Amino acid sequence: MVQKAPWYFFVPIILVTGLIWYGFIQQIVFDIPFGTNPASDTEIWILLGVLGILLPIFFLSIKLTTEVQEDGIYVRFSPFVSRFLPYKDIKQVEACTYNPLSYGGWGIRWSPKKGWAYNMRGNKGVLIELKNGKQLLIGSEKPEELVRHIKIIKTR
């Protein structure tokens, strides 16, 4: 299961990128200084490369992938981290509704009371209780389906 960021996540990125491209076109293409205290042409080129091209590509590459395999559950929050949970370490799995703000929002989060959370959107997920007493929350748009797959493969 793959989750990408919701559309509204990209609004500020689109606004910043649009402003950078507008400034680039005005100053470099039309040779009209952008703003009352314009950056140099070199700085405009750097801003375009970093904020106008690389930043949008970076944000478009962020995704949460959960794979249920024969040996365990693979959770990838690309391009940041990957985590493997072998079935032998899992005590219980259940679909849940949660408050993302109790974990500090969306993304890769850690709460001293609740443990790790990997979530991209919404408030539904799968709560995994490990045999060592720790918990892990994986956000999912289809938590019941994910739990069903985990239980089927875990009992094989």
Side-chain angles (χ1 to χ4, degrees), residues 32-47:
I32 301 169
F34 180 64
T36 57
N37 187 14
S40 70
D41 287 356
T42 303
E43 291 169 328
I44 293 287
W45 276 101
I46 292 169
L47 281 172

Side-chain angles (χ1 to χ4, degrees), residues 65-130:
T65 306
T66 306
E67 292 182 14
V68 180
Q69 300 289 336
E70 294 293 326
D71 56 343
I73 304 166
Y74 293 83
V75 180
R76 284 184 211 87
F77 203 101
S78 303
F80 303 108
V81 297
S82 293
R83 184 155 185 189
F84 171 65
L85 300 166
Y87 292 124
K88 65 180 179 67
D89 295 346
I90 297 173
K91 180 178 177 182
Q92 184 176 332
V93 179
E94 65 181 71
C96 68
T97 301
Y98 65 96
N99 180 356
L101 298 179
S102 68
Y103 285 92
W106 293 271
I108 303 168
R109 299 288 185 242
W110 183 78
S111 164
K113 292 181 181 177
K114 299 184 178 206
W116 286 99
Y118 300 90
N119 55 13
M120 287 291 290
R121 63 168 70 195
N123 64 347
K124 294 182 180 182
V126 175
L127 185 63
I128 300 174
E129 184 180 345
L130 302 173

Side-chain angles (χ1 to χ4, degrees), residues 1-21:
M1 302 185 136
V2 178
Q3 277 189 323
K4 292 204 170 219
W7 67 269
Y8 50 83
F9 179 78
F10 294 101
V11 171
I13 297 161
I14 292 167
L15 292 174
V16 168
T17 302
L19 184 64
I20 296 297
W21 276 96

